[in-house]
Amino acid sequence: MEEVNRKPSEGSTNKMQTRLLQEQRFSKLTPQAEKWEEDLPEKYDLQQPTAPKLIRVNEINDTWMEIPRYENIAWHGMWVISILSILSLFTYCSLFQFSEFYSEASVDSKIFILVAIFSFLSIFLFFFKMALFVPRGTPVRFNRKRQKVYVYEHQRSIWPWMRWPTVIKVFDWTDIHGEMLMYSGRYDYGHRLSCAVCQRGTYEVIDRFLLSYTVGDNRMIRGLWNHCCLYMQYKPVPETPLLTRKPLSWTPLNTVRWPEDLDKESKTAPE
C-alpha cells in the first residue's frame, strides 16, 4: 500500500511552533518582553487550566468591566518626602534674608546654596505631584459589546517641571495576547500580567500595557487572564474579586478623569 504524505494543518503547526518556543524559553511574540517568563494561553483556547478569578474590580456588568491597577508604591512616603523637602527649601531660602550672608559668604557658597534651593524645589515638586495628582489604580475597561479594551495611562516623568499627561489607548480585543512577567528585585518580587498588542494576524508587537502589577502567586495572574478571556466571550464568570479593600493611597483629589466621549463609548454598546 502506498504511503500517503499528509501536510499538517495550519492550526496544528502553530501549536507545535508555540510548544517548541516555550520549551526553548522563548516567547512567540516579537520583540520579547523584558522579564518575560511565559506566554499565557490564547484567548479562545478553551482548555485553560486555571479557574477564572478577578484580583480587583471596580465595575462588572453585561456590557463592560473595569479593572483597577494599583502600583506597589508607599504613597504615604510621598507626603513625608514632600514635607521634608519643603522644610529644607525654606531653610536654604532663609539664608538670603541675612545681610551678613552677602558680605561673608564666598561666591562658591552662594552658588552651592542656589543649586541646593533648585534641587530641593525640584524634589518637592516631584513628590508633591506624585502624592497629589498621580492617578491611583489606573483602570482598564473591557467592553465586550464592542470587543474593545480602553487603557487609562498616566505618563509621568522624572522631570517634575514637565507636564504629565493622561492618554487613553483603545485596542481591539482580538489583537491582544497575554504574557506573564517575573520580577525578582529586592523590593518588587513576583509576577505581572502584561498584555501585548500585535499587528492583526501576526505576533509582531506594536504596544504593551500591564493589566496587573506584581502579585506573589502566579495562579492569580492565570486566573485574571482566564477571567478576561471568558468575559469577552460572554461566558459566565465570577464577579467577586479576591481583594475588595483598596490599598492605602490617599489623595484629596479625584485623580482618574475619563474624557466624556471615551467614558460614554467605553460603557455602552454600539448603536
Side-chain angles (χ1 to χ4, degrees):
M1 179 180 282
E2 271 186 30
E3 187 175 330
V4 179
N5 293 324
R6 294 185 179 178
K7 185 178 180 181
S9 66
E10 184 179 349
S12 62
T13 302
N14 288 339
K15 288 183 178 180
M16 188 182 304
Q17 291 174 345
T18 300
R19 187 167 59 250
L20 288 173
L21 286 170
Q22 296 283 13
E23 290 173 357
Q24 297 170 11
R25 304 306 299 161
F26 292 111
S27 172
K28 65 188 175 186
L29 305 175
T30 54
Q32 181 169 299
E34 186 180 357
K35 309 290 186 181
W36 176 88
E37 183 176 75
E38 178 184 334
D39 288 333
L40 294 173
E42 289 295 343
K43 297 183 292 295
Y44 304 104
D45 184 356
L46 298 181
Q47 298 182 8
Q48 301 187 48
T50 308
K53 193 66 177 177
L54 288 167
I55 299 176
R56 285 189 171 92
V57 68
N58 288 339
E59 176 70 31
I60 180 170
N61 53 52
D62 189 56
T63 302
W64 62 283
M65 170 178 67
E66 181 177 286
I67 294 176
R69 300 173 296 169
Y70 289 100
E71 298 182 65
N72 302 320
I73 293 178
W75 293 101
H76 60 277
M78 305 297 165
W79 291 106
V80 173
I81 297 175
S82 297
I83 294 171
L84 292 177
S85 59
I86 197 65
L87 291 176
S88 300
L89 179 63
F90 285 147
T91 300
Y92 279 101
C93 287
S94 65
L95 294 175
F96 287 99
Q97 297 178 2
F98 298 99
S99 59
E100 299 169 351
F101 172 78
Y102 293 99
S103 59
E104 297 180 4
S106 65
V107 175
D108 291 342
S109 297
K110 293 177 182 178
I111 293 175
F112 173 80
I113 292 175
L114 288 173
V115 171
I117 289 174
F118 177 77
S119 300
F120 280 113
L121 180 58
S122 298
I123 292 171
F124 167 73
L125 285 176
F126 178 84
F127 286 100
F128 185 72
K129 286 177 72 173
M130 287 283 293
L132 193 62
F133 298 109
V134 170
R136 312 295 199 261
T138 50
V140 176
R141 286 181 182 172
F142 294 80
N143 187 309
R144 64 181 178 184
K145 301 287 188 180
R146 299 180 185 272
Q147 289 294 294
K148 298 279 189 181
V149 179
Y150 301 79
V151 184
Y152 192 102
E153 295 284 8
H154 182 72
Q155 300 176 341
R156 62 178 180 261
S157 167
I158 61 172
W159 187 242
W161 303 93
M162 294 177 60
R163 180 174 172 267
W164 295 358
T166 295
V167 177
I168 312 296
K169 298 181 178 180
V170 184
F171 302 114
D172 290 322
W173 170 244
T174 190
D175 299 332
I176 295 176
H177 303 265
E179 49 192 358
M180 188 188 301
L181 311 181
M182 175 61 188
Y183 282 72
S184 55
R186 184 174 181 179
Y187 300 105
D188 190 10
Y189 188 91
H191 299 83
R192 293 184 180 186
L193 173 52
S194 171
C195 291
V197 185
C198 295
Q199 291 275 9
R200 182 66 54 84
T202 74
Y203 291 136
E204 295 292 329
V205 179
I206 57 176
D207 205 345
R208 281 185 166 97
F209 64 90
L210 287 177
L211 189 54
S212 170
Y213 284 91
T214 308
V215 295
D217 191 343
N218 62 17
R219 290 174 296 182
M220 297 171 69
I221 297 297
R222 300 180 196 277
L224 176 58
W225 175 247
N226 196 3
H227 186 285
C228 294
C229 294
L230 295 177
Y231 175 81
M232 295 298 277
Q233 296 177 53
Y234 291 85
K235 301 287 179 63
V237 289
E239 297 186 1
T240 304
L242 287 170
L243 305 176
T244 56
R245 294 183 61 183
K246 293 182 178 180
L248 296 176
S249 56
W250 180 83
T251 178
L253 302 178
N254 175 23
T255 53
V256 176
R257 302 184 186 90
W258 288 84
E260 186 176 350
D261 56 340
L262 286 175
D263 185 47
K264 180 179 179 181
E265 178 184 317
S266 62
K267 291 181 177 179
T268 58
E271 296 180 359

